[in-house]
Amino acid sequence: MTTSPRQIKLGAFLMQTGHHIAAWRHPDAQADAGVNFKHYVELARRAEAAKFDAVFLADSVGVRNRNIDSLSRTARSDHFEPLTLLSALAAVTEHIGLIATVSTTYNEPYHVARKFASLDQISGGRSGWNLVTSSGEGEAQNFNLDAHVDHAQRYARAAEFHDVVLGLWDSWEDDAFVRDTESGVYFEPEKLHPLNHRGEHFRVRGPLNVARSPQGRPVVVQAGASPAGRDLAARTAEVIFVAHQTFDEAQSFYRDIKQRASDYGRDPDQIKIMPGIFPVIGRTQAEAEEKFARLQDLIHPIVGVQLLSNMIGGFDLSAYPVDGPLPDLPETNGGKSRQQLLIDLARRENLSIRDLYLRIAGARGHQQIVGTPQSVADQLQQWFEEEGADGFNIMSPWLPGGLNDFIDLALPELRRRGLVRTEYQGHTLRDHLGLHRPEHRAVVGRRLSQAA
Amino acid sequence: MTTSPRQIKLGAFLMQTGHHIAAWRHPDAQADAGVNFKHYVELARRAEAAKFDAVFLADSVGVRNRNIDSLSRTARSDHFEPLTLLSALAAVTEHIGLIATVSTTYNEPYHVARKFASLDQISGGRSGWNLVTSSGEGEAQNFNLDAHVDHAQRYARAAEFHDVVLGLWDSWEDDAFVRDTESGVYFEPEKLHPLNHRGEHFRVRGPLNVARSPQGRPVVVQAGASPAGRDLAARTAEVIFVAHQTFDEAQSFYRDIKQRASDYGRDPDQIKIMPGIFPVIGRTQAEAEEKFARLQDLIHPIVGVQLLSNMIGGFDLSAYPVDGPLPDLPETNGGKSRQQLLIDLARRENLSIRDLYLRIAGARGHQQIVGTPQSVADQLQQWFEEEGADGFNIMSPWLPGGLNDFIDLALPELRRRGLVRTEYQGHTLRDHLGLHRPEHRAVVGRRLSQAA
């Protein structure tokens, strides 16, 4: 890998019909995107031609929304499983990274280690695992539980899960498999390292039945913003996917994580922080706003009210007039929590229920930019240059149109400023992101013992 | 689907370097096949060009062999995970079916239902699930257990697992997703059917978050030969993959399964029985035998002795001279079990340890044919026409050469006899196999209640 100036990392967040809650109704969207493989092939190839670092797939292991009136009006209940989809995309792309979300809560580390190692082999070193925990009841009830697992439990399990997966990825040294047909030696026994893990949540003997993969280990991505999430990420994540609404929030998070990583003895440059950005781009500001208004108009009130009900803590607003004020709500115990911020906002600006859901229905917690190529580039440049971000996950409002707008309108401006790559310089996702290929732990151990 | 004369179904069993234990040492084999994606792309495309019904991948969730001297001389410890591999192959093939083995013992039905439904969507209706149970300690110890789960337990779990998966595949009626952008209705609520399963092993609420797939349900394959396995297969399997050594054995199994299926009220023609065949083919008998001898010569004695030790019940033979006789062994309690048959064979024919492992190292329980295109075709024709088989899984001795021999030498003879297809007639794996697309259970229910 050649050294190059620091440039913005770009992920293409491929959320079926798009990130906006009503995207599927957009005339240029692909309404059946969730089960349309060609749609994803075109998106991945388009993002690759634009030299994105990776495509990024979210996930949930169940249908989360239980309100049938709202659920039946959103495109969130049928979609490909991420690892099967990314494996298929691996066969029709050459350079772009492939990041899939897989939860640690209702899974076993052996399966997860194996699938990402396999994808890394299939793709020639392009796989990344977005490690998350599952908090929804809709998911728990698909896995023999009545209620979801509590937060501390989930994070304790996630941390051990991570360590087991990394251990399994080091089951074999890079040069273990000599495959000498003459002598009949397929691998060198001393380069096999069973894991023999016995912990609180898992007992896993190993070894993994996949050779060490092209990247050594697939890239580990995380998204936690809670204190437990930040701590786990600072110790273990190589990429952090996060949602911020303001630059100050982004900068404070960025500095906190880099400091925590440093405290763990890690090189802070080896954690790439990539907030989500929800861009609606027009050649003029008026065009951008018109595009956004067009999407907003497509939100069915039932969907908007249900979304808002969820975000203010599950209080059902469906019985109140949608153009009337937010009713008095029970006190939340989160102080300045996100839900309290929403309530305060409604009071301060005298917003109706409809006004309020329109504020949140687009970006849903991520930074929303409705603007021109210049204003989008200005904002990304500021975040990137002033310790707010190492790159961005582009949460296209609708697909493929929203991604095409970013590529056709904003990327040329970012290229002109020298802020993004014009060609891939390496072959693996680690190469793209500027992440070192990790040495095998046995090799590190031998070097340390020789030095002693 | 057009009706056509009954023809032999063909599966290409893709076992990394090949089915023979020493295949990886063959000069025309691909020694790194386990992690060589191009190798599989070429095999799948070759099998598709030859109009095979499906490619078929075996699996184990761990490294089974614990004898490091033998393990390090075989190519069984590093290989792709089947579902990631088949998903990638789906993107580079168009017609051929894609069957992957996934165990029910250390998995959750929601994950398995979801991945096969996703693969069925990606591939346009070509996925099949080979449902197995896991019996190895090497596997159990990767999943928080010290010993493997006992046989009865495994089968009880497998049966319930199967029913949950089928229920999840019917979460949505075929026409549930109307995606009407004008009215904003994405799906029709009355066509959603959560499962609400509460059984002995699983509690799964559902629905699956994947639309009903092109085949309605992916094809269910099974391999059980024990009484519990046969019973489960007769009730639930659509394809049975099985190992027989003689025609009589095959015929007796075939008749038994078809009868059991009938007893369960099923159409016996809707279960396709496909024994494994291990063919070594030459233009002349001498050429075939020479090819086989060449493979046999590549078996390292350590590997052969370990294989034999496993097959006679785990008694370690490594301390005995390889060209000496089989030592007296402790009585097995299986009567005429497979291990006792081996011991009897050695005594009767006065075989050395080496002679005996050479007998089993190739086909390993499957029917071995070393012969000309005519003799291979004769045997397949007899089994097919005389109630021994509906088709065959071709266990190529080495890859790609062994598969190429079958395609180039045996298939033309089978085509001449009209026993195999020359073109695909349908699009899905069900079409190829002559299996009906199952109606949704709610549709069946409505029809029955209207008829009543």
Side-chain angles (χ1 to χ4, degrees):
Chain A
M1 204 172 59
T2 60
T3 55
S4 49
R6 182 172 174 260
Q7 288 181 315
I8 290 175
K9 310 300 172 195
L10 288 175
F13 193 89
L14 303 184
M15 184 78 162
Q16 299 133 48
T17 53
H19 191 67
H20 191 280
I21 192 87
W24 74 271
R25 298 182 67 187
H26 191 285
D28 299 338
Q30 186 73 39
D32 68 351
V35 292
N36 185 321
F37 179 54
K38 272 191 192 146
H39 170 72
Y40 280 98
V41 173
E42 283 161 21
L43 292 172
R45 286 181 170 161
R46 193 80 222 279
E48 182 168 81
K51 319 300 177 195
F52 273 62
D53 293 81
V55 297
F56 193 109
L57 299 181
D59 194 38
S60 70
V61 283
V63 173
R64 283 188 184 146
N65 187 343
R66 289 292 182 215
N67 179 306
I68 192 78
D69 290 331
S70 156
L71 180 66
S72 64
R73 289 178 171 87
T74 55
R76 294 286 187 262
S77 44
D78 65 326
H79 49 85
F80 294 120
E81 185 278 332
L83 272 166
T84 44
L85 177 56
L86 282 194
S87 301
L89 292 176
V92 294
T93 54
E94 280 178 56
H95 300 285
I96 198 162
L98 306 160
I99 300 174
T101 302
V102 174
S103 171
T104 54
T105 308
Y106 308 113
N107 236 314
E108 288 291 331
Y110 198 90
H111 289 313
V112 173
R114 195 175 170 221
K115 288 189 166 75
F116 279 99
S118 187
L119 178 57
D120 212 47
Q121 296 282 3
I122 289 168
S123 64
R126 298 187 281 135
S127 81
W129 169 34
N130 181 32
L131 181 168
V132 301
T133 70
S134 297
S135 60
E137 258 176 34
E139 294 170 290
Q141 292 171 355
N142 292 328
F143 296 93
N144 313 315
L145 298 175
D146 291 319
H148 68 83
V149 182
D150 79 41
H151 187 269
Q153 267 278 334
R154 289 203 315 272
Y155 271 88
R157 180 183 167 99
E160 188 180 333
F161 196 114
H162 167 273
D163 294 347
V164 173
V165 167
L166 259 68
L168 287 169
W169 284 338
D170 274 2
S171 293
W172 307 89
E173 293 183 37
D174 287 307
D175 55 355
F177 292 96
V178 291
R179 303 186 185 101
D180 182 347
T181 54
E182 200 52 48
S183 68
V185 173
Y186 188 75
F187 68 79
E188 293 179 0
E190 68 279 13
K191 292 183 176 165
L192 160 60
H193 302 275
L195 185 62
N196 292 317
H197 173 89
R198 298 184 81 86
E200 194 187 335
H201 300 85
F202 304 107
R203 280 179 292 149
V204 181
R205 189 180 191 281
L208 197 66
N209 52 6
V210 187
R212 199 163 196 258
S213 72
Q215 294 191 102
R217 301 174 199 143
V219 173
V220 175
V221 182
Q222 279 174 51
S226 69
R230 287 184 188 211
D231 186 70
L232 181 64
R235 182 171 73 80
T236 63
E238 301 180 282
V239 173
I240 299 183
F241 171 47
V242 64
H244 297 307
Q245 306 243 8
T246 66
F247 171 68
D248 286 349
E249 210 180 302
Q251 194 185 53
S252 142
F253 179 85
Y254 187 97
R255 289 175 172 167
D256 179 51
I257 290 286
K258 299 271 172 163
Q259 183 58 51
R260 285 178 193 242
S262 220
D263 294 345
Y264 272 114
R266 297 181 66 195
D267 174 359
D269 191 44
Q270 290 293 300
I271 304 189
K272 306 298 177 183
I273 300 181
M274 298 175 68
I277 292 287
F278 177 90
V280 185
I281 311 171
R283 282 172 189 79
T284 62
Q285 183 66 29
E287 190 188 66
E289 282 167 15
E290 193 194 312
K291 283 185 184 180
F292 187 52
R294 191 173 187 184
L295 274 168
Q296 294 285 81
D297 284 348
L298 295 170
I299 304 172
H300 195 290
I302 290 177
V303 173
V305 171
Q306 172 68 20
L307 186 69
L308 182 58
S309 297
N310 286 345
M311 290 188 77
I312 56 164
F315 184 87
D316 182 9
L317 293 168
S318 62
Y320 297 87
V322 69
D323 288 312
L326 201 63
D328 285 333
L329 295 168
E331 280 280 312
T332 67
N333 60 11
K336 284 287 169 198
S337 67
R338 196 149 290 184
Q339 63 212 62
Q340 192 60 48
L341 288 171
L342 281 174
I343 295 167
D344 294 348
L345 172 69
R347 296 276 172 270
R348 197 168 58 242
E349 302 192 18
N350 198 23
L351 302 178
S352 69
I353 289 177
R354 188 193 307 270
D355 294 333
L356 192 56
Y357 77 60
L358 285 172
R359 290 280 183 101
I360 57 168
R364 294 203 306 288
H366 292 277
Q367 172 69 3
Q368 174 172 300
I369 314 179
V370 181
T372 61
Q374 287 68 33
S375 65
V376 172
D378 287 348
Q379 182 156 338
L380 301 195
Q381 183 164 9
Q382 187 202 6
W383 287 38
F384 177 66
E385 291 182 343
E386 297 176 21
E387 298 191 307
D390 295 309
F392 302 93
N393 253 311
I394 306 304
M395 330 281 290
S396 299
W398 75 101
L399 289 166
L403 182 64
N404 288 342
D405 277 357
F406 183 83
I407 290 172
D408 296 336
L409 301 175
L411 264 191
E413 179 60 27
L414 290 166
R415 272 193 218 109
R416 234 183 326 270
R417 301 183 189 187
L419 289 169
V420 292
R421 73 164 64 84
T422 50
E423 287 302 333
Y424 291 109
Q425 316 242 297
H427 298 285
T428 68
L429 176 55
R430 289 187 178 278
D431 291 343
H432 305 338
L433 292 171
L435 294 170
H436 304 320
R437 186 181 192 279
E439 281 187 298
H440 191 282
R441 53 181 70 175
V443 175
V444 175
R446 282 199 294 269
R447 200 181 47 243
L448 291 176
S449 71
Q450 277 164 8
Chain B
M1 202 171 61
T2 60
T3 55
S4 49
R6 181 171 174 261
Q7 287 182 315
I8 290 174
K9 310 299 170 196
L10 288 175
F13 194 89
L14 303 184
M15 185 76 164
Q16 299 132 48
T17 54
H19 191 69
H20 191 280
I21 191 88
W24 73 271
R25 299 183 67 188
H26 192 285
D28 299 338
Q30 186 73 38
D32 68 351
V35 291
N36 185 322
F37 180 54
K38 273 192 192 144
H39 169 74
Y40 280 97
V41 172
E42 282 161 20
L43 292 172
R45 286 182 170 161
R46 192 83 221 278
E48 182 169 79
K51 319 299 176 195
F52 273 62
D53 294 81
V55 297
F56 192 109
L57 299 181
D59 194 39
S60 70
V61 284
V63 173
R64 282 189 184 144
N65 188 343
R66 289 292 182 213
N67 179 306
I68 191 76
D69 290 332
S70 157
L71 180 65
S72 65
R73 290 178 171 87
T74 54
R76 293 287 187 261
S77 44
D78 66 327
H79 49 86
F80 294 119
E81 183 278 334
L83 272 166
T84 43
L85 177 56
L86 281 194
S87 301
L89 292 176
V92 295
T93 54
E94 280 178 55
H95 300 284
I96 197 163
L98 306 161
I99 301 174
T101 301
V102 174
S103 170
T104 55
T105 308
Y106 308 113
N107 235 313
E108 289 292 331
Y110 198 89
H111 289 313
V112 173
R114 195 176 170 220
K115 288 191 166 73
F116 280 99
S118 187
L119 178 58
D120 212 46
Q121 295 283 4
I122 290 168
S123 64
R126 297 188 280 135
S127 81
W129 169 34
N130 182 31
L131 180 168
V132 301
T133 71
S134 298
S135 60
E137 257 174 36
E139 293 171 292
Q141 291 170 356
N142 292 329
F143 295 92
N144 313 315
L145 299 174
D146 291 320
H148 69 82
V149 183
D150 79 39
H151 187 269
Q153 266 279 333
R154 289 204 314 273
Y155 272 87
R157 181 183 166 99
E160 188 180 334
F161 196 114
H162 167 272
D163 294 347
V164 173
V165 167
L166 260 68
L168 287 170
W169 284 338
D170 274 2
S171 292
W172 307 89
E173 294 184 37
D174 287 306
D175 54 356
F177 292 96
V178 292
R179 304 187 184 100
D180 182 347
T181 53
E182 200 52 49
S183 69
V185 173
Y186 188 76
F187 69 79
E188 293 179 359
E190 67 277 14
K191 293 183 176 167
L192 160 60
H193 302 274
L195 185 63
N196 292 318
H197 174 89
R198 298 184 81 87
E200 195 187 336
H201 300 85
F202 303 107
R203 280 179 293 150
V204 181
R205 190 180 191 280
L208 197 66
N209 52 6
V210 188
R212 198 160 196 258
S213 71
Q215 293 191 103
R217 301 174 199 141
V219 173
V220 175
V221 182
Q222 279 174 51
S226 69
R230 287 183 187 212
D231 186 70
L232 181 65
R235 181 171 75 80
T236 63
E238 301 179 282
V239 173
I240 299 183
F241 170 49
V242 63
H244 298 307
Q245 308 243 5
T246 66
F247 171 68
D248 287 348
E249 209 180 304
Q251 193 184 54
S252 141
F253 179 86
Y254 186 98
R255 290 174 171 167
D256 178 51
I257 289 287
K258 300 270 173 165
Q259 184 58 52
R260 286 177 191 244
S262 221
D263 294 345
Y264 272 113
R266 298 182 64 197
D267 173 359
D269 191 43
Q270 291 292 301
I271 304 189
K272 307 297 177 184
I273 300 180
M274 297 175 68
I277 292 287
F278 176 90
V280 185
I281 311 170
R283 280 171 189 80
T284 62
Q285 184 65 30
E287 191 188 64
E289 281 168 15
E290 194 193 313
K291 284 185 183 180
F292 187 53
R294 191 174 186 185
L295 273 169
Q296 295 284 80
D297 284 347
L298 295 171
I299 303 172
H300 195 288
I302 290 177
V303 174
V305 170
Q306 172 67 21
L307 186 70
L308 183 57
S309 297
N310 287 345
M311 291 189 76
I312 56 164
F315 184 88
D316 182 10
L317 294 167
S318 61
Y320 298 86
V322 68
D323 289 312
L326 201 64
D328 284 332
L329 294 169
E331 278 281 311
T332 67
N333 60 10
K336 284 286 169 198
S337 67
R338 195 149 289 184
Q339 63 212 63
Q340 192 60 48
L341 288 172
L342 281 174
I343 295 167
D344 293 349
L345 172 69
R347 296 277 172 271
R348 196 168 59 242
E349 302 193 19
N350 199 23
L351 302 178
S352 68
I353 288 176
R354 188 192 306 270
D355 295 333
L356 192 56
Y357 77 62
L358 285 172
R359 290 282 182 102
I360 58 167
R364 293 204 308 288
H366 292 276
Q367 171 70 2
Q368 174 172 300
I369 314 177
V370 180
T372 62
Q374 287 68 32
S375 64
V376 171
D378 287 349
Q379 182 156 339
L380 301 196
Q381 181 164 11
Q382 187 202 6
W383 286 40
F384 176 66
E385 292 181 344
E386 298 176 22
E387 298 191 306
D390 296 308
F392 303 93
N393 253 313
I394 306 304
M395 329 281 290
S396 299
W398 77 102
L399 290 167
L403 182 64
N404 289 341
D405 278 358
F406 183 83
I407 290 171
D408 297 335
L409 301 175
L411 263 192
E413 179 61 27
L414 290 166
R415 272 193 217 108
R416 234 184 325 270
R417 302 182 190 188
L419 289 169
V420 293
R421 73 165 61 82
T422 51
E423 288 300 333
Y424 290 109
Q425 317 243 299
H427 298 285
T428 69
L429 176 55
R430 288 186 178 278
D431 291 343
H432 306 336
L433 292 171
L435 295 171
H436 305 319
R437 185 180 191 279
E439 280 188 298
H440 191 282
R441 50 181 73 175
V443 175
V444 175
R446 282 200 294 270
R447 201 183 46 244
L448 291 176
S449 71
Q450 276 163 9

